[in-house]
Amino acid sequence: LDREEVWNLLTEHKKWQSLMGCSIQSKPGEVPKVEAKAADGLIMGHAYSLLDLGEMKLPDGKTVVKLIKCRNPWGKGEWAGKWGDRSDIYQEHKDLIKETFTHKDAAGNQIDHEDINDDFNAGPFFMEFEDWFHNYTNVFIAVNFPDKCTGQRVSGKWSGEEGGNRDMGTWVSKPQLRITVKPHNSS
């Protein structure tokens, strides 16, 4: 998918209130790098929550910036590049970011964007979409299908000690499905 297709896909799943995440994998042919340093504070082989995304118009009235809000569940090891917590551009536009990323949830409750700069390395951080697209290799989406969607649902169950990571003996016994989704063309 190209940049615009990925942005549209993420935007659609945000509207559906799907849970999303992303990660950075090693380059093909390299020895897998798990929890290794990547660019500007990011970590390879590590799962990040994709919390939000949005577009905001800068005060010049012309420039529109696409931002992705991610979170490192560890609470440490986050983006230190453009729009990162300590960047000048983040500091300059903190109020605009707060305005852009404060919204109401499905129940009508206001969700305020917290000031993530007060505790650098607390987990949540912003990246410009271009930087996110350049650095991350995988997107994970737990689709929350809207009512208009039809199809087939498959269920599974995790119990006991299943899951964990690849080094655990129970990794192979967790429920796993591989699916291929093809667009439905209706006339």
Side-chain angles (χ1 to χ4, degrees):
L1 300 175
D2 67 23
R3 284 174 174 77
E4 197 60 32
E5 290 170 321
V6 171
W7 180 259
N8 292 338
L9 177 79
L10 295 175
T11 301
E12 181 175 45
H13 284 285
K14 175 188 171 182
K15 287 178 192 170
W16 293 358
Q17 298 177 341
S18 298
L19 297 175
M20 296 185 279
C22 49
S23 68
I24 304 166
Q25 298 305 311
S26 304
K27 293 179 181 170
E30 285 185 359
V31 173
K33 297 177 184 174
V34 178
E35 310 300 343
K37 290 184 179 183
D40 290 313
L42 299 176
I43 301 169
M44 283 187 187
H46 184 72
Y48 290 84
S49 304
L50 198 159
L51 300 174
D52 206 351
L53 61 139
E55 295 180 89
M56 64 182 200
K57 188 177 281 190
L58 297 184
D60 68 9
K62 299 174 187 172
T63 309
V64 175
V65 178
K66 294 178 179 177
L67 289 180
I68 300 269
K69 181 180 180 183
C70 291
R71 181 176 189 279
N72 180 343
W74 284 357
K76 61 182 179 177
E78 61 184 56
W79 178 246
K82 186 177 178 184
W83 294 99
D85 298 2
R86 291 188 177 169
S87 71
D88 291 342
I89 197 162
Y90 175 84
Q91 296 300 318
E92 181 182 346
H93 298 291
K94 276 173 41 173
D95 292 338
L96 184 56
I97 290 171
K98 184 172 184 166
E99 179 183 319
T100 302
F101 287 90
T102 297
H103 50 81
K104 294 193 183 282
D105 66 12
N109 302 312
Q110 182 165 314
I111 305 296
D112 291 321
H113 162 67
E114 68 276 9
D115 187 358
I116 62 178
N117 190 53
D118 287 345
D119 185 11
F120 178 71
N121 250 351
F125 58 91
F126 285 95
M127 294 179 78
E128 190 163 354
F129 175 66
E130 288 297 317
D131 290 327
W132 180 89
F133 187 86
H134 175 75
N135 283 283
Y136 285 90
T137 57
N138 293 336
V139 175
F140 311 100
I141 302 174
V143 179
N144 182 21
F145 290 101
D147 293 337
K148 68 179 182 175
C149 287
T150 60
Q152 187 173 12
R153 294 193 185 254
V154 178
S155 64
K157 180 176 145 185
W158 288 29
S159 60
E161 296 293 319
E162 294 171 342
N165 62 49
R166 291 180 185 102
D167 295 332
M168 295 178 68
T170 57
W171 178 258
V172 296
S173 64
K174 70 179 183 147
Q176 298 178 23
L177 301 170
R178 184 174 297 255
I179 62 171
T180 302
V181 178
K182 296 180 181 178
H184 175 70
N185 295 326
S186 58
S187 343

